[in-house]
């Protein structure tokens, strides 16, 4: 649903995007009718039916249907209405926070509840929880989402500027400045992970490794080995596919480790 609606809204812009036109990054040059024929059944089978089944079998159908409606509205607003940077990043956070809430419903059995509470931990310090996760998790998630969103925007910086599409990063005058913003968020995420690892120990080892690898990978690709020739800049699709596959594999393991 997320990528389908995004492909529909960026149909014209993607014509000038070199990383599009493959299975991983989405179609290029498809007509609106063709996108609709693929998008609507995909949303129905891949999103609506599982949610309907979970709600029906848990005898709590209404929250799942409301969740689906909110998810559609958030994605629609992000792709077709949002313009201010704080709006786009806020919608990204709401979207992924809702996925955490959905996971909480499925794992805890507390269907339809937000799971908000305030507890004392072992160090007699107060921590608030939402959807089974404490404030430290939500802080890390926020940094992870912002850096992932900005990193994706950086990949499309040149094509977005050419097509006059305004995203959080394309508003910046130079790509070098955009790189520095992404690196700053990545470093902040890594520092937070180091802090939590020192306090919590091995529970944060995977998150720490994931954050540090992000800094290393981004620094290598964007500062140490950036594409130098026009031909390299125009044809990065193969390298980006392998990079995205590695990131997705790491992300899936991160989700598994957290839950």
């Amino acid at each position: 649903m997320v990528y389908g609606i995004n492909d529909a809204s960026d149909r014209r812009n993607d014509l000038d995007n070199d990383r599009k036109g493959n299975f991983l990054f989405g179609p290029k040059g498809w007509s609106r009718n063709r996108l609709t024929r693929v998008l609507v059944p995909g949303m129905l089978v891949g999103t609506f039916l599982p949610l309907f089944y979970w709600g029906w079998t848990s005898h709590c159908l209404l929250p799942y249907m409301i969740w689906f409606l909110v998810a559609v509205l958030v994605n629609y607003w992000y792709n077709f209405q949002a313009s201010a940077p704080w709006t786009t990043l806020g919608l990204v956070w709401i979207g992924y926070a809702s996925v955490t809430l959905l996971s909480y419903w499925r794992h805890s059995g507390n269907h339809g509840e937000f799971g908000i509470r305030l507890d004392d931990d072992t160090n007699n310090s107060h921590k608030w929880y939402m959807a089974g996760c404490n404030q430290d998790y939500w802080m890390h998630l926020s940094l992870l989402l912002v850096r992932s969103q900005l990193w994706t925007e950086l990949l499309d910086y040149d094509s977005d500027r050419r097509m006059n599409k305004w995203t959080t990063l394309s508003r910046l005058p130079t790509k070098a400045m955009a790189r520095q913003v992404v690196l700053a968020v990545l470093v902040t995420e890594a520092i937070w992970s180091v802090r939590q690892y020192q306090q919590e120990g091995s529970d944060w080892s995977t998150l720490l490794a994931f954050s540090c690898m992000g800094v290393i990978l981004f620094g290598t690709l964007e500062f140490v080995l950036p594409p130098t020739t026009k031909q390299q800049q125009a044809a990065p699709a193969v390298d980006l596919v392998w990079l995205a596959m590695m990131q997705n594999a790491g992300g899936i393991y991160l989700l598994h480790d957290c839950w």
Side-chain angles (χ1 to χ4, degrees), residues 24-62:
L24 196 59
F25 289 112
K28 182 177 181 178
W30 284 21
S31 66
R32 190 173 297 278
N33 289 335
R34 186 180 181 186
L35 278 170
T36 303
R37 289 198 305 269
V38 174
L39 174 60
V40 174
M43 287 177 58
L44 178 64
V45 176
T47 308
F48 177 79
L49 290 182
L51 288 168
F52 185 88
Y53 172 76
W54 290 341
W56 184 267
T57 55
S58 62
H59 306 289
C60 195
L61 184 60
L62 182 60

Side-chain angles (χ1 to χ4, degrees), residues 8 35 42 72 139 143 244 252:
L35 278 170
V72 173
M139 180 63 183
L143 291 169
I252 291 173

